Amino acid sequence: MAGSIQALAHPRQRATRQEGEALLIDLADAGLGTSGGKAAVLARLLAAGLPVPPGFVVPTAAYEEAAAGLDFSGAGAVRDLPGPSPALTGEIARALTRITGDGPVAVRSSATGEDTATATAAGQHDTFLGVNGPGEVADAVRGCWASLWSERAVAYRRRRPDAGAPVIAVLVQRLVDADVSGVMFTGAVAGAGNGLRLEASWGLGESVVGGRVTPDSWTVSGSTVSRRTPGTKRTRIDRGRTGVVTREVALADRARYCLTDEEVTRLAEFGRRTAGLLGGEQDIEWAIAGSRIWLLQARPVTRALPAEAAASAGAPGRSGGRTGTPGSPGSATGPVRVVRGPGDFGRVRSGDVLVCRTTDPAWTPLFGLAAGVVTETGGLLSHAAIVARELGLPAVLAVTDATAALPDGAVVEVDGDSGRVALLGPG
């Protein structure tokens, strides 16, 4: 990319740009201080010839300039956060023409404190998919900036005493209209040697990372698929005319695997190549459009996955309990608190076991209260499971009828190592 999209060189935490500096950065030139963790890693992958969608970065300096003088210790400050300036919006318009023409883009937060070896901040900052035109992109950029101060992001940082002052860039990339998307963890499967774990579902990756479906999963040992487990892929997310839409998956597609073994092993090769390049095991988001694989994100694995359990998800456990997928190790005992949406948040008390259909990143503040988590859908590589492992919160996933089978107020024991949820008493 030529013209005004070029690398910036300036110290972190500077409040304003210097005269003559570019307003945007080509993704290939992204660095941590100017472009945040997500974009900086993708720039390394691009330099190595790996398949990353083209894009550009609205750098940290743009956020610092917009946020200058605002005190975010008060909840109302975010309302005063302006969007991109007219000059910046004009640069965005020209950059969009170069990378997509009139096509849709993904607008993604790229904070300097995320995607590190100790903290992923998985799902804590906003992403906007299927965004069209400079006006919508400018609105999405402001949305990403504001998400740095969302309740969930603040609560996540509060649980991490090593978190520094937050600064955020925004990554804009050509949207991949994915047939299949998912996540893989390289070399992080407990009890499986050098096994690689991969999870996938139909459509865009929000279904998998957001825990909205229980995805198909595979373990790859060496060049061989050593284990495969079908998911329950009832819905899919795709690009619509404006933004994204959620659709029902055809019955035949729910039952069949969304990837062939050949595709799984190809993805594993990309995963291991990425891990070798970045110097450690990686949590990688990817998408397939047609027959082409794209890498969308890579970050260090902060916690190893629990061992795969032999028990069938959703099967009855002892004393009327249930079994599911071990999502985060450890055990906890407490009263069930069935949460069906934000309207139930006020009912959660310290020491409760959070039982829900799925968990949205907006629910992260509840993780500071809950003793354990049980979900009806989701995989080991979803954002909620990653954050639960980082915070040491026992979790069992994919217990298909948990909100009905585990009565509100009943006392349960959650075993995140075995995937069992035991019903101990009525409470």
Side-chain angles (χ1 to χ4, degrees):
M1 222 175 293
S4 60
I5 303 181
Q6 50 189 281
L8 291 175
H10 60 79
R12 280 187 60 186
Q13 306 295 340
R14 197 188 62 211
T16 59
R17 291 180 299 106
Q18 298 298 312
E19 184 177 356
E21 284 185 335
L23 299 179
L24 302 177
I25 302 173
D26 189 283
L27 177 56
D29 298 321
L32 177 61
T34 62
S35 306
K38 186 180 284 99
V41 169
L42 290 178
R44 292 186 63 186
L45 301 188
L46 272 172
L50 288 163
V52 174
F56 60 88
V57 179
V58 181
T60 55
Y63 164 77
E64 291 170 322
E65 190 169 335
L70 295 177
D71 179 5
F72 291 101
S73 62
V78 171
R79 293 195 296 268
D80 298 325
L81 181 66
S85 67
L88 180 54
T89 302
E91 287 296 295
I92 288 171
R94 288 183 280 276
L96 288 172
T97 299
R98 283 189 286 270
I99 69 165
T100 70
D102 294 326
V105 294
V107 181
R108 311 172 70 198
S109 300
S110 181
T112 53
E114 68 180 322
D115 293 354
T116 71
T118 59
T120 63
Q124 301 311 299
H125 307 127
D126 283 346
T127 289
F128 300 88
L129 302 177
V131 183
N132 290 279
E136 287 188 13
V137 171
D139 288 343
V141 167
R142 186 198 177 278
C144 289
W145 288 348
S147 73
L148 188 65
W149 298 102
S150 66
E151 184 180 2
R152 69 179 183 269
V154 171
Y156 179 85
R157 291 196 297 270
R158 193 176 292 131
R159 294 287 296 269
R160 303 204 61 86
D162 57 339
V167 185
I168 195 166
V170 179
L171 171 61
V172 181
Q173 287 180 283
R174 180 189 298 164
L175 182 72
V176 176
D177 274 327
D179 302 308
V180 181
S181 299
V183 185
M184 58 180 153
F185 270 35
T186 66
V189 183
N194 192 35
L196 179 149
R197 169 87 177 197
L198 190 146
E199 295 182 347
S201 191
W202 304 111
L204 298 175
E206 288 299 293
S207 293
V208 176
V209 299
R212 302 185 189 188
V213 300
T214 301
D216 297 337
S217 64
W218 296 260
T219 299
V220 182
S221 301
S223 60
T224 303
V225 177
S226 58
R227 180 169 179 166
R228 59 185 69 78
T229 305
T232 52
K233 310 174 295 296
R234 295 176 180 173
T235 61
R236 60 182 289 162
I237 298 174
D238 295 290
R239 178 172 62 89
R241 292 185 178 178
T242 58
V244 296
V245 294
T246 300
R247 299 187 176 99
E248 294 288 320
V249 171
L251 288 175
D253 287 338
R254 295 182 195 182
R256 72 183 179 95
Y257 285 102
C258 60
L259 294 173
T260 65
D261 281 5
E262 179 184 3
E263 289 170 322
V264 170
T265 54
R266 285 177 58 208
L267 282 161
E269 290 172 6
F270 276 116
R272 294 193 175 107
R273 184 177 169 189
T274 299
L277 173 70
L278 298 179
E281 305 305 349
Q282 298 293 308
D283 163 4
I284 302 165
E285 294 181 22
W286 53 269
I288 297 178
S291 60
R292 188 167 186 182
I293 293 172
W294 295 95
L295 303 183
L296 307 180
Q297 181 170 321
R299 57 191 172 201
V301 171
T302 56
R303 297 290 187 277
L305 300 179
E308 296 174 316
S312 300
R318 65 183 178 91
S319 304
R322 288 293 187 270
T323 59
T325 301
S328 178
S331 63
T333 300
V336 167
R337 194 63 58 217
V338 176
V339 176
R340 293 186 169 84
D344 292 328
F345 285 9
R347 299 176 54 245
V348 179
R349 299 289 181 265
S350 179
D352 284 350
V353 172
L354 183 65
V355 177
C356 48
R357 196 188 75 79
T358 186
T359 57
D360 185 275
W363 297 28
T364 301
L366 299 182
F367 284 19
L369 295 173
V373 178
V374 179
T375 71
E376 292 186 339
T377 65
L380 286 175
L381 311 186
S382 67
H383 285 157
I386 292 169
V387 172
R389 288 192 293 272
E390 282 188 13
L391 299 179
L393 189 66
V396 178
L397 315 173
V399 181
T400 54
D401 59 350
T403 58
L406 302 174
D408 199 76
V411 177
V412 296
E413 180 186 17
V414 178
D415 188 335
D417 294 291
S418 68
R420 292 181 172 85
V421 183
L423 187 60
L424 302 181

